[in-house]
Amino acid sequence: MSILQQHLQESVRAIRERTKVKARVGIVLGTGLGALGKEVQAELRMPFSQIPHMASASVQSHSGELVAGTLNGTPVYVLEGRLHYYEGHRLSDIVYPVRLLHALGCEVLVLSNAAGGLNAAWALGDLMVIEDHINLPGLVGANPLVGPNDEAVGPRFPDMSRPYDRKLIESAHAAAKATGLSLREGVYVMVTGPNLETRAEYRMLRNLGADVVGMSTLPEVVAARHVGMRVVAFSIVTDLCIPETLEEADIDTIIKTASAAEPKLTKLVKQMVGTLA
Ligand code: HPA
């Protein structure tokens, strides 16, 4: 058994000692998008620092927690808080939580993030379900699957023809309809950050075919597809990245926009997860 699998088994054991929750659905919440965690009827809230081999434990003591319970009747594990590449974490540490959700028995992965809007027809606070992605860091080397491959975990050359599960995307649209929310569908491009982009970079990203740009999520998606999980991911448009009218970026405004749109995303994901029981 590989070191990775040993670590995963130890993490799973530590969680199983504390909860009997068996969930098929795992949810990873983006920074500032933790409200959904509060909607969970929780049997357990376990700080990452108490889970062996979760990297955040050694870096930041209060950087997140695992919530186990039910959301709208469906058993779930929710991870509040994630690691970012721009913080200097190793990609293998960034994707560890996703591999852990899989080791815990999750077959479906729901992800959320805040992103900049490149599509000129869209507005601040819009919600988008990701239909496809451009993994810029992953294409040129910063890919969590680089290195020896454990065939027991997943294939050497995982398919990415459809990383986002069409049935889950349709469930997301149905949930949007049921809750009276509008939901866009589009392409997410990842950059490493931490600086925001220049006008020329936004123009390039738009020309590449992306609707939104962000600094997270894609390493987790790639790792989830590697192990065969079905993935659905949502973005909140927190700033407008239109080169012709670009204003100076203000991180406080970005975070405020994320918080203002968060109740919509929470409602949508709660409704959707209820249909996945
Ligand atoms: N660029 C990259 N990441 C982001 C942005 C952006 O404009 N907004 C929110 N996350």
Side-chain angles (χ1 to χ4, degrees):
M1 197 194 299
S2 67
I3 298 272
L4 171 62
Q5 284 179 301
Q6 283 174 36
H7 285 180
L8 287 167
Q9 284 198 356
E10 284 164 25
S11 300
V12 167
R13 206 175 306 128
I15 295 163
R16 293 245 187 276
E17 275 168 13
R18 304 267 304 269
T19 179
K20 296 213 176 342
V21 170
K22 284 244 160 62
R24 282 181 52 242
V25 179
I27 306 176
V28 176
L29 301 176
T31 312
L33 301 174
L36 188 69
K38 297 180 185 63
E39 300 281 324
V40 175
Q41 292 225 299
E43 244 190 50
L44 172 70
R45 290 183 185 273
M46 187 170 182
F48 289 165
S49 57
Q50 293 175 8
I51 304 174
H53 311 298
M54 286 282 273
S56 56
S58 57
V59 180
Q60 280 173 309
S61 49
H62 301 292
S63 54
E65 63 179 6
L66 170 106
V67 184
T70 56
L71 178 64
N72 200 8
T74 300
V76 289
Y77 292 115
V78 178
L79 301 179
E80 283 184 52
R82 63 144 62 96
L83 304 179
H84 294 90
Y85 190 62
Y86 61 74
E87 294 169 300
H89 296 289
R90 286 182 306 194
L91 284 157
S92 55
D93 290 336
I94 292 171
V95 302
Y96 189 83
V98 166
R99 290 175 165 155
L100 175 56
L101 288 172
H102 180 252
L104 282 164
C106 295
E107 297 155 17
V108 168
L109 180 67
V110 183
L111 298 151
S112 69
N113 61 58
L118 298 161
N119 188 321
W122 296 4
L124 281 184
D126 278 4
L127 300 183
M128 183 190 102
V129 60
I130 305 182
E131 194 273 324
D132 203 349
H133 75 219
I134 301 169
N135 187 1
L136 280 187
L139 286 175
V140 295
N143 189 307
L145 305 184
V146 166
N149 187 59
D150 184 346
E151 285 291 326
V153 174
R156 173 75 287 187
F157 301 108
D159 173 68
M160 286 293 149
S161 57
R162 276 177 189 73
Y164 303 89
D165 188 89
R166 193 67 230 173
K167 279 202 185 121
L168 291 175
I169 294 174
E170 293 309 330
S171 317
H173 284 302
K177 207 165 172 200
T179 49
L181 293 166
S182 73
L183 180 64
R184 311 234 182 230
E185 189 175 318
V187 174
Y188 179 103
V189 62
M190 181 184 171
V191 293
T192 63
N195 61 276
L196 280 296
E197 290 71 40
T198 66
R199 285 165 298 149
E201 286 165 346
Y202 285 137
R203 205 174 292 121
M204 176 194 81
L205 296 172
R206 186 173 70 184
N207 288 339
L208 287 179
D211 294 291
V212 300
V213 52
M215 304 177 193
S216 69
T217 305
L218 301 195
E220 288 108 308
V221 171
V222 167
R225 291 304 302 144
H226 185 230
V227 295
M229 295 172 91
R230 296 166 61 210
V231 177
V232 65
F234 298 92
S235 295
I236 293 179
V237 175
T238 54
D239 55 315
L240 298 180
C241 306
I242 310 303
E244 294 76 14
T245 54
L246 189 67
E247 290 175 16
E248 209 172 303
D250 173 14
I251 293 302
D252 290 338
T253 311
I254 291 179
I255 292 169
K256 268 190 208 131
T257 310
S259 317
E262 185 181 24
K264 289 196 296 183
L265 183 65
T266 300
K267 197 167 155 189
L268 188 130
V269 175
K270 188 175 173 182
Q271 168 73 23
M272 185 186 131
V273 168
T275 66
L276 300 179

